[in-house]
Each structure stands twice: as C-alpha cells, then as structure tokens.
Amino acid sequence: MLSDGVDRSFGLEGLQALGKSNCATTMKHLNLHGCSLLGTLSLKAIANFSNLETLNLSGCNKLTLGGARTVGKRCRRMSFLSLASCGDCISDALVEALVMHLELLSTANLSFCPKVSERSLKALSACEQLQTLDLTGCTGVTDQSILHLSEGNFSPGLCHLFLAQCCKVGDTALSWITEGLKQTLDGCVSLETLSLKGTRVTTSAVKGIRDRFPYSLLRSNASFHGFWPLARTNDRKEINLYHKRACSAAIIQARVRSRREKGTLIRAKEEYCKKRVAILIGALFRGGKARLRYKELKRAKKLFNISSLRLQCAFRCHIARKRSNRQRGKRWLTVAPLASNAIQTRWRGILGRRKAGQKSEEKRQQYRCRAEASIRIQSWCRMLQAKQLKLLLLCRWFTSELNRFRSAITIQCAWRIQQGAKVLKFLKVEFLEHQELQRASVFRIEGALRTIIFRKAIQLRVARTRKRLESSLTIQKWWCDQTQRLAEKRMAEVRMTEERLRASGLIQRKVRQRLAYLRLVALRQRRDEMFALREENATTLCRWGRVCVAKIRMQRRREEFDEEIKRALLLKIWASTKIAAGFRGKLGRNKANECTIIHAQRWKALWSESEQLSFFYNQDTGETRWDKPQILLDIEPKPTCSNCSNYLAEVECADCEEFFCTKCFEFIHYGGKRARHSYRMVYDYYERRKDYDREPWQTQTLEAGQSQSTESA
C-alpha cells in the first residue's frame, strides 16, 4: 500500500523518492486511485512534479489542507483533477487551495464529497477553461452554489455537468444554469450533458428548457435523467455554423451593394454641392474685396478731413496763447507789489496758527495720559477689593459646610446610640426568657436553639443596615432640597436676564420696523419708475423678438422642406435596391430549381426481379442505389396538415392515413387508442425529406424522444 513513506538513513522511499528523482520534471500523468494512506508528505512530494497535467486522487481520504496548497501553487499546468470518493477530508478550503492557481483546468471530478458547497463552486467558477464538472453525490451543493457556478466566465463554455444525487438542487438552479452559463448567438446553452437524477428538479421544468439544448436528447430511465448529447455533435455544430456564416455573408453582400449605391449618390450630391459652394465663395470673395476697397477710401477721406481740422485748431491755439501771454505781462507789472504784501501777511498768519495748534495738541495729550492712568489705578483697586471679598465669602462658605457636616455626624451618632440602647433592652428581655427555657429543656432543643440564635443575629444585622440606609437617605434628601433651592434661585436670575433681553429686542425690532417701512416706501417709488421703464423696453423687445421668431420659423421651414426632399430621395434609392435584390433572388431561385430538375431527370427508377425491389440509376455517373436520391425527394410536393391545413405536415400516421403538423398530432393522439397509432417523421433533423419506402413506422409518442423510439422499433 502506497503511503507517505519514511526518511531512512540510506535514502527516501515512495512518492518522496520519486519527487527527488530526475523524472519529476517530465512526469505529466499520475493515477493514485484508492491510495488511502497518502497525507501531507505525499502531496508535498507530488508538488515537485511541476509539469503534471492529470492527477487522480480518488479514494484518498487523508488529504490535508497544507499539502493541497503546495500542489495548487506548484502544479499550475494541471488540466484534469479527480477527488472522487475522498469523503469528509475534502472541504471548501481544500478545494479553494487546489483550484486557486489552476488556470488550465478543464475537467474536475468532485463526486461523493459531501462537504463541497458554495465556496468550492465559487472557486471553480474562476477556472475559465473548465468544460467538465462532476458533482454526483455532493449533498452540500444547493441552488445558491449553482448560482455562483453560473456566474463564471468559461471561455469555450461548460459542456458536461453531472448533478446526480444532489438532493438540494431544485428548479431555481436549473433556471440559473440555462440563463447564467455561456450561451450561443441563438440563445442556446453550451451544455451538452446535464445529469439530474435524484434531484428536486421537476419534469415540467426539464421539458420547459428542452429547446435550449439543441444538441442533446431528453432521456429518462432507471440510470439517467437529464440531457444526453446526440451523435456527431461536432459535425452538427459545424454544419449550423456554416449555414449561419453563409446567411451572414449574403446579408453583408446586400449591405455592401446598398452602401455602394448610396456612396455613388452621395458623391454626385457632394460634387453638385462643391460646384454650388465654389460659385457662392467666388461671389462672396468679390463682394468682400469691393467692400474692403470702399472702406479704405472712406477711411482715407475721413483721415484727411480730421488732419485739416487739427491743423486749424493748433494754429488758432498758438495765436490765442501769444495774446494771453502779452496781457499777463502787462497785469503782472501793476499787481506784483500788492500781491507780495498779501502773501507775506497770509504766510505769517499760517505760521502763528500752526504754533497755536501744536501747543493745544500737547495739552490734550497730557490730559488724556492723566485720565488713562487714573482709570487704570481705579480698576486695579476695584480688582483687589473684589478678590478680598471673594476670599472672605469662600472662607465663610467652607466654615458653614464644615459645621453642617459635623452636626450631621453628631446627629447620626446620637441616633445610632439611641437605637442600640433600644435593641439592647429588647435583647436583654429575650435573653432572660431564653435562659428560663434553657433551664427547662437544655438537652432537648440545643440544636434548634443555635439555629434560632444565628437567624436572629442575621436579622439584627439586617435591621442595623436598614436603619443606616434610612438615615443616609434622609441626609441625601435634605442635601437635594438645598441644591434644588440654589438651582431655583439661579433659574430666577436667568429668567430676569432673559426678560430684559426680550424687552430690548422688542424695542430694537420696533425701531427696525419703522426704518424698514420708510425704506420700503422709497423702494416702491423706485420700483414703479423701473416698471414703467421696463414696460417701454419690453414693448420694443417684443417687437424685435417677433421679427426674430418669424425669421427662425422661415429658416426651419426651409430646413424641413430640404429634409423631406432628402428623405424622398433616400426612400427611392432604398426601394430600388430592395426591388433589385428581390428580383435577383427570384432569378437565382428559379435557376436553382431548374438545375435540380435537370439533375433529378438523370435518375431513372428501375425494377430488380431478383430482389423484387425498385432501385435508382444515374445516367451520367452510372451510380445505382436502393434508397431514393435526395434530389427526387426534394422535388416531390410538400404535404400540408390535414387537420388545420395552415402549416406543413411533419408527421404521417399509418392508422389514420393522414399527415399532421407536430401540434395537431400531439393534440389528436394525446390519449385513448390513438396514442398507440404508429407514425413516422416526414423530415429528418436537418429538415430534409425522408424516403417513405425505407422509413420504418414507430409506435411510441413524440415526448419519449427520437432515440427511444428507434430502439423500440
């Protein structure tokens, strides 16, 4: 049995020796199925295989978290991982440690691991290349864990998912699988295999999503329930992909043709617009040149007039200055001595006034300094007196509090002494009574007496404590009453100050209201004047606005008319392209039908007397075949439904001898004896006609699936 091995003196053994060997870097596949003794050391040895691609640890029920972390960090090229039937050792933490770094993982098998739940599937959703996931027998998997799995972005898409025996998986998980997993362009799911045996998924939910699995069959038997992939699934996908590409190519060709025709039309329109713009630009250029020439001439004439006026003004100013200078000289000779005497008298008066002002300023400064010093001395004296009064008041308050405290203590002591004396008197009386009783019955009630004494002692202590508490409560009540009186006095003072402030506020409000009323009257007068001016301006603006709106409406109508013309042209072009494309398609279909008829005429139906069957012979290639060629089948007229006569028939009933569409066949042959009628399909999976002579009759219903019907036939 393979195990972790032992580090012996001569060397290592088991997987440890293999991890140290030269093949550690070349090993790619490792199968350890059923090795139940593997532990941490073995997993650390497996981590040395850095190029490992497939690892099978199914049945190893002693795996640890530390070993799984080392394997997940080092073996990052792993694409296949199997932990089936490992039991309770596989937990969410272990799966997260293994899968966290495995970006190339494509197949994961976690079947029969009951502790696998939401965290494990959330870690697996990060593996973008995951294609196969086996969760058979994982009872911890719920609808919420399937939601985490469906949120993963798998690049090729998850193809195979096994949820058999997952008893907590229901219809909500199925809806998340169909909506959340990667889907194709036609809205189908990438899943090919989905096993739902032993889950809470209902058959109605499975039938409801049958259309989302085009490459799978709905199977339900004793061993499997779910969707099973059809034969040659890859070939079907390639054929459908080729059909889609052909359709997209035809659409692209049609769009390219329409764009080319639009391009030619746009080019012609651009050339016409360019010519029109060139003519307009030429006219605008000539007009601009003429306007510039006119402005230059006007500016030159204006400059000439301005320069002539300036010269005239300068000459007149020069003559006026000369005359004024002569008159000033004459006046100065007569006024000069009188002006000098007046200036000297005024200068002496200014000097005298300056000296008097300086002296008065000095006196004022001295008076101010004396007043400030006296104010400071008075404030300092008042401050000292206030401090002394504060100290006296504090001393008186402390002495009064000490006297109160001492009186309270003396009262408590006197109260306790009085209560103790009463208790002692009561105890003495009881003690005498007890002594008399003890003398009568000492030997009979000795034990009971001790218990009674003990209880009474406890009661006495309780009574004492209660009395002490009552006295303390009375003292506390008295202290609370005193504090409450002081608080009421303070509140009364605060209320007085608040009332004074309210009265002053009311007076100020009245004054402000009167001032505001006067301002409001002045503002109303200004407002009336402004309104009158605004009405005059508004009338002028309305006239100008109406003119602008009329111009804008005219411009919009012109633009709408141009757009209508453009739309009509584009509609004509689009209609012509559509008609041309439809006509070409009709011609192509007619040619294709003629070619098929010509090819079909080369096949001849002959009779074989040895086999007593008809066979077909091709005159061009010499080919012979028993089955009817597909060309001849395609030429035959397509039957319609004999019940509704609105849709093409898809099923032929042997007992009714009529053709039906799928809905009518299911409705008519739902129950009774008609449900046992034999039938056959008119077309195959790729919507091609079948040979009636070779097609066998089927006796089961359509809902059981095509695969089961062929087996029963």
Side-chain angles (χ1 to χ4, degrees):
M1 180 66 72
L2 189 63
S3 64
D4 289 345
V6 181
D7 188 1
R8 302 185 184 277
S9 59
F10 56 85
L12 300 170
E13 64 180 9
L15 287 172
Q16 296 185 35
L18 192 63
K20 296 291 184 180
S21 62
N22 295 326
C23 66
T25 57
T26 58
M27 185 175 288
K28 292 185 178 180
H29 308 282
L30 184 62
N31 189 355
L32 299 174
H33 172 68
C35 298
S36 59
L37 298 177
L38 296 180
T40 306
L41 295 174
S42 300
L43 290 175
K44 288 182 179 179
I46 292 168
N48 294 324
F49 308 144
S50 59
N51 294 323
L52 197 65
E53 293 180 359
T54 61
L55 178 61
N56 189 358
L57 296 174
S58 57
C60 302
N61 54 7
K62 290 185 179 180
L63 302 178
T64 60
L65 182 59
R69 283 176 182 168
T70 54
V71 172
K73 286 180 181 178
R74 295 183 184 178
C75 302
R76 299 193 177 188
R77 297 185 181 180
M78 199 182 300
S79 60
F80 177 85
L81 177 63
S82 177
L83 300 173
S85 302
C86 289
D88 294 336
C89 69
I90 302 300
S91 63
D92 291 336
L94 192 140
V95 175
E96 283 181 348
L98 267 174
V99 175
M100 189 181 295
H101 304 286
L102 301 181
E103 297 178 355
L104 302 176
L105 186 66
S106 62
T107 304
N109 188 355
L110 300 174
S111 58
F112 300 103
C113 296
K115 288 188 177 180
V116 172
S117 61
E118 296 180 11
R119 288 173 57 193
S120 301
L121 294 182
K122 194 172 183 180
L124 285 168
S125 64
C127 301
E128 295 182 354
Q129 297 187 8
L130 189 65
Q131 295 182 4
T132 304
L133 180 60
D134 192 354
L135 298 172
T136 304
C138 296
T139 56
V141 176
T142 60
D143 295 342
Q144 192 68 25
S145 54
I146 296 296
L147 174 61
H148 292 304
L149 182 66
S150 62
E151 289 175 352
N153 188 13
F154 305 111
S155 57
L158 190 64
C159 297
H160 308 284
L161 180 61
F162 300 92
L163 297 173
Q165 306 303 325
C166 295
C167 57
K168 296 181 181 178
V169 175
D171 293 342
T172 55
L174 191 63
S175 65
W176 283 332
I177 287 169
T178 54
E179 293 176 3
L181 288 177
K182 189 173 182 180
Q183 299 179 356
T184 57
L185 295 173
D186 53 356
C188 298
V189 185
S190 62
L191 277 175
E192 297 175 4
T193 306
L194 180 60
S195 177
L196 300 170
K197 187 75 175 177
T199 60
R200 292 189 296 169
V201 179
T202 59
T203 55
S204 60
V206 175
K207 289 179 182 179
I209 63 166
R210 184 171 57 182
D211 298 335
R212 304 292 292 276
F213 295 84
Y215 304 109
S216 303
L217 283 174
L218 179 61
R219 282 190 180 181
S220 180
N221 50 36
S223 60
F224 185 84
H225 176 67
F227 295 96
W228 188 260
L230 292 167
R232 298 172 63 190
T233 304
N234 295 326
D235 296 339
R236 294 171 191 268
K237 287 182 179 179
E238 288 179 0
I239 290 165
N240 291 333
L241 183 63
Y242 177 75
H243 177 69
K244 288 177 184 176
R245 287 178 179 173
C247 292
S248 61
I251 292 165
I252 290 164
Q253 287 175 0
R255 288 181 180 177
V256 168
R257 291 193 200 100
S258 64
R259 284 183 182 177
R260 282 180 181 174
E261 292 176 357
K262 286 179 184 178
T264 54
L265 184 67
I266 289 164
R267 286 188 206 118
K269 206 166 186 181
E270 285 179 354
E271 288 178 358
Y272 174 74
C273 290
K274 284 178 182 177
K275 289 179 182 178
R276 187 74 182 273
V277 167
I279 293 164
L280 290 171
I281 289 167
L284 290 170
F285 184 70
R286 293 189 204 98
K289 274 190 173 181
R291 282 192 292 274
L292 288 171
R293 183 64 179 166
Y294 174 72
K295 285 179 182 178
E296 287 176 356
L297 292 170
K298 196 173 180 181
R299 195 180 295 128
K301 189 175 180 180
K302 191 174 181 180
L303 290 171
F304 179 75
N305 292 329
I306 289 165
S307 60
S308 63
L309 288 170
R310 283 178 180 174
L311 287 170
Q312 289 175 6
C313 290
F315 183 71
R316 288 173 188 153
C317 289
H318 182 67
I319 292 166
R321 283 195 201 101
K322 283 183 177 180
R323 288 178 181 174
S324 64
N325 288 328
R326 288 172 189 168
Q327 288 177 1
R328 282 177 188 172
K330 290 177 181 178
R331 287 177 186 174
W332 180 251
L333 292 173
T334 57
V335 177
L338 297 171
S340 62
N341 291 326
I343 289 163
Q344 286 176 5
T345 54
R346 285 184 182 178
W347 177 249
R348 291 189 196 104
I350 288 164
L351 289 174
R353 283 192 293 274
R354 280 181 184 175
K355 287 180 181 180
Q358 287 176 1
K359 287 181 180 180
S360 63
E361 188 67 29
E362 287 176 358
K363 288 180 181 179
R364 285 175 189 171
Q365 286 180 358
Q366 288 176 1
Y367 179 73
R368 285 174 188 171
C369 292
R370 288 174 185 174
E372 287 175 358
S374 65
I375 289 164
R376 286 177 184 173
I377 290 162
Q378 288 174 6
S379 62
W380 183 66
C381 292
R382 287 171 191 158
M383 184 179 68
L384 289 174
Q385 290 176 1
K387 284 181 179 179
Q388 288 175 1
L389 287 170
K390 189 177 180 182
L391 288 170
L392 288 170
L393 290 170
L394 283 170
C395 291
R396 289 176 185 174
W397 184 75
F398 279 123
T399 53
S400 64
E401 289 293 326
L402 285 170
N403 292 327
R404 286 175 186 173
F405 185 72
R406 286 171 185 170
S407 61
I409 290 166
T410 53
I411 290 161
Q412 287 179 359
C413 292
W415 178 261
R416 287 170 189 164
I417 290 163
Q418 189 179 0
Q419 293 294 325
K422 288 180 181 179
V423 170
L424 283 170
K425 286 179 182 178
F426 181 75
L427 287 171
K428 282 178 182 180
V429 173
E430 287 183 351
F431 183 72
L432 293 170
E433 290 176 358
H434 281 299
Q435 279 184 353
E436 290 176 358
L437 290 170
Q438 281 178 1
R439 289 169 187 173
S441 58
V442 173
F443 297 103
R444 294 179 182 178
I445 55 171
E446 188 176 1
L449 185 62
R450 289 174 185 171
T451 55
I452 290 165
I453 292 165
F454 182 72
R455 287 175 183 172
K456 286 183 178 180
I458 290 169
Q459 288 176 1
L460 287 170
R461 287 184 181 177
V462 170
R464 287 175 185 173
T465 52
R466 283 178 181 172
K467 289 172 183 177
R468 288 175 185 172
L469 288 170
E470 287 175 357
S471 62
S472 63
L473 286 169
T474 53
I475 292 162
Q476 286 178 1
K477 285 179 181 178
W478 175 79
W479 177 253
C480 290
D481 293 334
Q482 292 294 326
T483 53
Q484 191 173 3
R485 288 172 188 171
L486 292 171
E488 287 176 355
K489 287 180 181 179
R490 290 174 185 171
M491 289 294 291
E493 291 176 358
V494 170
R495 286 172 187 169
M496 286 294 291
T497 53
E498 286 178 356
E499 288 177 356
R500 288 174 183 172
L501 290 170
R502 285 174 188 171
S504 63
L506 287 170
I507 293 163
Q508 290 176 2
R509 283 176 195 168
K510 293 290 183 182
V511 173
R512 287 172 190 157
Q513 285 176 0
R514 184 64 182 170
L515 292 171
Y517 177 73
L518 295 172
R519 288 178 185 174
L520 195 137
V521 170
L523 289 170
R524 282 178 182 173
Q525 291 177 358
R526 291 179 186 176
R527 184 191 64 185
D528 295 334
E529 293 174 359
M530 288 294 291
F531 280 159
L533 290 171
R534 283 177 184 175
E535 286 177 357
E536 291 177 0
N537 294 328
T539 51
T540 54
L541 286 170
C542 288
R543 290 173 186 172
W544 180 76
R546 287 172 193 144
V547 174
C548 292
V549 168
K551 289 180 180 178
I552 290 164
R553 285 179 181 173
M554 288 294 293
Q555 189 174 0
R556 284 180 182 173
R557 287 178 182 175
R558 286 175 185 173
E559 289 176 357
E560 288 174 359
F561 181 72
D562 293 335
E563 286 179 359
E564 287 178 358
I565 292 167
K566 288 178 184 178
R567 287 174 188 168
L569 289 171
L570 290 171
L571 186 62
K572 286 179 182 178
I573 293 160
W574 177 79
S576 62
T577 52
K578 286 288 182 182
I579 292 162
F583 184 72
R584 291 193 203 97
K586 180 66 177 175
L587 291 175
R589 285 191 291 276
N590 292 334
K591 286 182 181 178
N593 292 328
E594 289 174 2
C595 290
T596 53
I597 291 165
I598 290 164
H599 286 297
Q601 288 174 357
R602 304 306 297 169
W603 288 93
K604 297 295 181 183
L606 302 175
W607 181 261
S608 176
E609 294 180 356
S610 61
E611 298 292 333
Q612 292 296 316
L613 291 170
S614 62
F615 68 96
F616 296 88
Y617 171 75
N618 194 341
Q619 297 178 1
D620 294 333
T621 60
E623 182 184 358
T624 58
R625 56 191 299 174
W626 296 104
D627 298 330
K628 197 171 186 178
Q630 190 65 38
I631 296 173
L632 295 176
L633 292 171
D634 294 333
I635 292 171
E636 290 179 2
K638 296 181 179 180
T640 58
C641 181
S642 59
N643 185 34
C644 64
S645 66
N646 292 327
Y647 300 98
L648 292 173
E650 296 178 1
V651 185
E652 182 184 5
C653 183
D655 297 328
C656 299
E657 295 181 356
E658 289 179 344
F659 292 91
F660 299 95
C661 62
T662 306
K663 291 183 179 179
C664 292
F665 182 80
E666 290 177 356
F667 180 76
I668 293 168
H669 298 80
Y670 180 76
K673 292 182 180 179
R674 291 187 180 182
R676 300 174 186 174
H677 286 186
S678 58
Y679 71 95
R680 61 186 175 188
M681 304 300 294
V682 179
Y683 303 96
D684 61 356
Y685 180 78
Y686 299 100
E687 296 183 356
R688 295 181 299 188
R689 291 288 297 272
K690 293 183 179 180
D691 192 359
Y692 295 143
D693 298 329
R694 301 292 179 184
E695 184 69 14
W697 294 98
Q698 300 176 7
T699 58
Q700 293 184 2
T701 58
L702 285 171
E703 292 180 359
Q706 295 181 5
S707 61
Q708 294 180 1
S709 64
T710 54
E711 288 175 4
S712 64

